[in-house]
Amino acid sequence: APRIGIIGSGIAGLAAAVRLRLEGAHVEVFEAADTPGGKLGELVLGEYRFGIGPSLLTMPQYIDELFTLAGETPADHFRYQRLETVCRYAWEDGIWLDASGDPETFAHEVERVLGVPAQRVLNTLAHGAEKYRLTGHTFLEKSLHSPKTWLTPEVGHALTRLHRLDLTRTLHQVHERDLGEAHLVQLFDRFATYNGSNPYRAPGLLSMIAHFEHGAGAFVPEGGIPAIGRALYDLAQRVGVIFHFNTPVAEILTRPGRQRPRAVGLRLADDRQVLLDRVVSNMDVFFTHERLLPNAPAPTRVLAREKSTSALIFYWGVDKPFPELDVHNILFSVDYPAEFAALEAGTLCDDPTVYISISSRYDQSAAPAHGENWFVMINAPCAAPHQDWEALIQRTRERVIDKIERMLSRRRGQAVALRDMIAEEAVFDPTTIEASTLSHQGALYGTSSNDRMAAFMRHPNHSRHVDGLYFCGGSVHPGGGLPLCLLSAKIMTRVMAQREPWPHNVPSS
Ligand code: FAD
C-alpha cells in the first residue's frame, strides 16, 4: 500500500484521510495549526464559545457516510437535528418572515406574509430540485476531467433539458421572472452567497441551492459545528491515520519524471524531509503552488480566477437573551444591488445585510444561562492591498449595531440597547481569515461561481503538472462549503484510484 501524506486537516483533509486509510493506504496528516478542523475551529471568549467559521449545516449524510464506510453507526459518534425554521428574515419596512424547512409550510407562510401565491414558491423550489437532479450528480459528485463523466445517460438526459437549467439568465433574473415580489426575490437571491457569489452575475442554475435548504433541510449538530471536526478527527484516529500538529509543510518534494515532475515527499518547516508515494493537498490550491511548489509549472489561468467573497465577523457574547431572534437570522439591506456593487468595488456598503447565528439556542453549553453567543457576519470583499480593515471595521461595527438596534426595537416596541450588552467581543476580517487558515485573500469558498464556466475552471482534484499530487478542499472541484468539501475528498479518492490503483483500491465508477 502507498504512503500518502496529506497537507492540512480541514474537513476535506480529514475525510480524505479516512477514505484513503480505509482503502489500505498508510496515511499521515501534516497540520500547521495545533488542532484539526481548519475553518471548523472554535473560539472561546470568557463564558462564551463560538464556531469560528461555518454556522449552517446542510447534507449531513456526507458526514454519516464516512462512519458507515468504517463499519460504524454514525449516530454513535455524531448526532444532529433538522431545524424547523431554517432562517428568520427581517426587512427594514417591518416585515418578518420565518422560513420553514418544510416547503409547504414555507410557501404558505410566504403567501400569508408577502401575499405571493404559495404555488409560485413551490414551483420555484421544484424547479431548483429539478436542476439539481439534472446536473448535481455529474457536477458535484464526479471529476469533470474524466471523459467517463460525460459519456453517461444522465448527461444525455440533461442535454435534452438544457432549456430548464437557466444557463443564459442570472440568478436574480430567474427570481424576478418566477417570484416577482421584491422581498421574496431578495430572500432567494441571497442563496448566491452560500458559495460566495453575486446573484446579479451568477447563473440561474444556482437556484438549486434553495432546494438544499428548503427541500433537503438545514441541520444543527449536537455540540455545534466544531463538533464535526472533532468527530471526524476521532474517526480518522480510530481507523489508524497518523496526525502531526504544529507541523507546517514548507515544500512538496519532487523528482524529475519522463513527462513532468513527480511528488516524492514533503519538506517540513523545521527542514525534516518525509518520503512519500503520493501527496494530497488540502491547503488552498493557490498557496500550495505559490509556497510549496515555487519552481514547478503552475496552472496560472485557474489560479487567477476571481475568488468567492470573504466575511467580516463579530463574535459577541451578549449577556441578555433576545426572544425576537431564532438560530439563523437575516436582517436585510434596503438596497441589495448596492451591497454587491460595493463588494465588487472591494469595499463595504453603508447598510449591509446582517446575518446573526446563535448556536447557544440549540447548544446551551455555548453561553451562560443569561446570555447568547452571537456570530454576526456580513459579506465582505476578499482581502486586497488598498483596504484599511481597521477603519472599515470601526465604521461597520457602528452601522451594524445601529441596524440591529433599529430593527429589534421596532419589533419589540421598545428601545433595545445592544451596545451595552456586548460582554465579550472578537472580530475576524478577510485578512485574519487568510492568515488563520491560509485561504487565499480570505475567500470563504475558494473561487466564485459568478459565471457559467466557473465549474469547469475550478482546479481539478489531481495536478496536471506534478504526478502523484492530488487536491481536496474548498478551493478545488467541486467547490467550497462543507458538503462540497466532503465530496471533493470522495472525488479525489476515486481519481487517485483511477490514475494510480493499488490492490485494495480498485477504481469504481
Ligand atoms: P480548511 O478548513 O481551509 O483547512 C485547511 C487546513 O490546512 C487548515 O487547517 C490549515 O491550517 C492547513 N494548512 C494550510 N497550509 C498548510 C501548510 N503549509 N502545512 C500544513 N497545514 C496547512 N460552509 C458551510 O457549509 N456552511 C457555512 O455556514 C459556512 N460558513 C462559513 C463561514 C466562514 C466565516 C468561513 C471562513 C467559511 C464558511 N463556510 C461554510 C465554508 C467552509 O468552512 C469551508 O468551505 C470548509 O470548511 C473548508 O474546508 P477545507 O477542507 O477546504 O479546509
Side-chain angles (χ1 to χ4, degrees):
R3 267 174 66 99
I4 302 178
I6 299 182
I7 307 167
S9 66
I11 188 164
L14 292 169
V18 169
R19 287 180 178 277
L20 292 170
R21 178 71 196 124
L22 289 174
E23 292 185 356
H26 172 88
V27 183
E28 294 189 44
V29 177
F30 301 86
E31 169 55 61
D34 54 3
T35 48
K39 295 188 179 75
L40 299 178
E42 192 164 68
L43 174 73
V44 180
L45 298 175
E47 294 177 274
Y48 300 83
R49 267 190 302 111
F50 303 83
I52 291 178
S55 48
L56 178 71
L57 174 62
T58 51
M59 308 249 171
Q61 69 268 27
Y62 296 130
I63 300 174
D64 288 347
E65 187 175 282
L66 295 166
F67 293 98
T68 310
L69 267 182
E72 299 184 351
T73 305
D76 288 349
H77 306 280
F78 176 62
R79 273 185 291 273
Y80 51 84
Q81 277 175 19
R82 190 171 173 152
L83 278 177
E84 262 173 47
T85 297
V86 293
C87 191
R88 178 165 290 174
Y89 294 98
W91 287 265
E92 290 270 3
D93 59 8
I95 291 182
W96 286 64
L97 174 75
D98 273 5
S100 166
D102 170 55
E104 288 279 344
T105 314
F106 173 47
H108 284 99
E109 187 62 3
V110 167
E111 182 165 314
R112 191 185 70 77
V113 176
L114 299 175
V116 179
Q119 196 54 46
R120 220 188 277 173
V121 176
L122 290 170
N123 290 347
T124 301
L125 291 174
H127 192 182
E130 181 191 4
K131 288 172 181 168
Y132 178 59
R133 267 196 316 278
L134 287 170
T135 62
H137 188 52
T138 303
F139 280 87
L140 303 181
E141 297 188 24
K142 293 184 173 186
S143 164
L144 299 186
H145 307 86
S146 154
K148 268 198 196 157
T149 300
W150 303 107
L151 302 172
T152 59
E154 70 208 43
V155 171
H157 179 58
L159 286 174
T160 65
R161 310 280 297 161
L162 269 187
H163 61 288
R164 296 290 294 158
L165 300 182
D166 283 323
L167 293 173
T168 55
R169 292 185 180 82
T170 65
L171 190 63
H172 176 71
Q173 285 166 342
V174 168
H175 294 149
E176 282 275 343
R177 179 194 67 194
D178 296 344
L179 297 163
E181 199 279 337
H183 300 83
L184 196 56
V185 169
Q186 189 174 24
L187 187 159
F188 273 77
D189 277 0
R190 177 182 161 258
F191 287 114
T193 65
Y194 279 35
N195 63 14
S197 301
N198 174 342
Y200 304 97
R201 286 176 58 210
L205 181 63
L206 289 193
S207 69
M208 72 170 83
I209 299 178
H211 157 71
F212 295 153
E213 187 156 298
H214 290 282
F219 299 82
V220 288
E222 224 170 73
I225 296 271
I228 300 172
R230 287 193 290 269
L232 291 183
Y233 169 61
D234 291 346
L235 170 64
Q237 283 201 309
R238 283 197 297 281
V239 300
V241 174
I242 296 166
F243 285 86
H244 308 272
F245 292 105
N246 299 306
T247 309
V249 173
E251 186 183 351
I252 295 174
L253 300 171
T254 59
R255 69 164 156 67
R258 215 181 295 159
Q259 288 179 323
R260 36 188 174 261
R262 179 168 181 94
V264 291
L266 301 174
R267 184 170 63 78
L268 307 179
D270 61 10
D271 253 2
R272 269 180 303 150
Q273 296 200 350
V274 185
L275 295 183
L276 299 159
D277 301 308
R278 284 151 215 199
V279 170
V280 176
S281 179
N282 172 224
M283 176 183 180
D284 184 297
V285 66
F286 182 93
F287 284 135
T288 305
H289 281 94
E290 189 189 69
R291 300 190 181 174
L292 306 192
L293 286 165
N295 302 317
T300 35
R301 263 183 57 217
V302 173
L303 298 185
R305 294 282 296 172
E306 178 190 4
K307 295 287 177 298
S308 76
T309 46
S310 186
L312 174 60
I313 307 159
F314 299 95
Y315 306 85
W316 286 334
V318 175
D319 67 9
K320 292 263 173 353
F322 278 76
E324 294 82 5
L325 297 174
D326 204 80
V327 175
H328 301 294
N329 311 271
I330 285 285
L331 311 185
F332 271 123
S333 61
V334 172
D335 188 347
Y336 219 30
E339 187 173 348
F340 285 92
L343 294 175
E344 301 247 322
T347 188
L348 299 171
C349 68
D350 291 346
D351 171 38
T353 294
V354 177
Y355 167 60
I356 307 171
S357 171
I358 310 175
S359 73
S360 57
R361 285 294 166 94
Y362 64 86
D363 173 17
Q364 275 87 12
S365 68
H370 56 86
E372 298 179 332
N373 65 345
W374 285 24
F375 169 99
V376 180
M377 181 172 113
I378 64 166
N379 295 316
C382 279
H386 65 271
Q387 295 154 341
D388 174 354
W389 277 105
E390 219 170 285
L392 281 172
I393 290 169
Q394 241 177 34
R395 201 180 70 197
T396 308
R397 183 181 187 278
E398 293 312 299
R399 291 188 168 143
V400 167
I401 295 179
D402 285 347
K403 185 177 179 79
I404 298 173
E405 288 188 343
R406 187 169 60 241
M407 291 178 75
L408 291 186
S409 301
R410 181 170 178 170
R411 182 79 173 159
R412 193 178 282 188
Q414 84 186 61
V416 168
L418 172 64
R419 258 183 201 81
D420 311 333
M421 298 174 191
I422 301 174
E424 302 285 351
E425 175 165 25
V427 186
F428 261 45
D429 64 49
T431 61
T432 22
I433 293 174
E434 176 174 82
S436 61
T437 56
L438 290 176
S439 299
H440 187 219
Q441 298 182 312
L444 303 193
Y445 304 97
T447 48
S448 84
S449 297
N450 281 338
D451 65 71
R452 268 178 284 163
M453 293 310 287
F456 298 98
M457 292 302 291
R458 253 184 211 108
H459 196 287
N461 302 97
H462 69 280
S463 169
R464 293 194 180 109
H465 299 273
V466 178
D467 283 338
L469 174 60
Y470 297 85
F471 292 94
C472 62
S475 67
V476 298
H477 177 68
L482 303 179
L484 298 198
C485 286
L486 290 160
L487 287 171
S488 81
K490 187 172 180 175
I491 300 169
M492 183 279 295
T493 317
R494 209 181 293 142
V495 170
M496 189 188 285
Q498 281 159 355
R499 294 174 71 83
E500 313 182 80
W502 70 86
H504 292 289
N505 180 358
V506 270
S508 56
S509 61

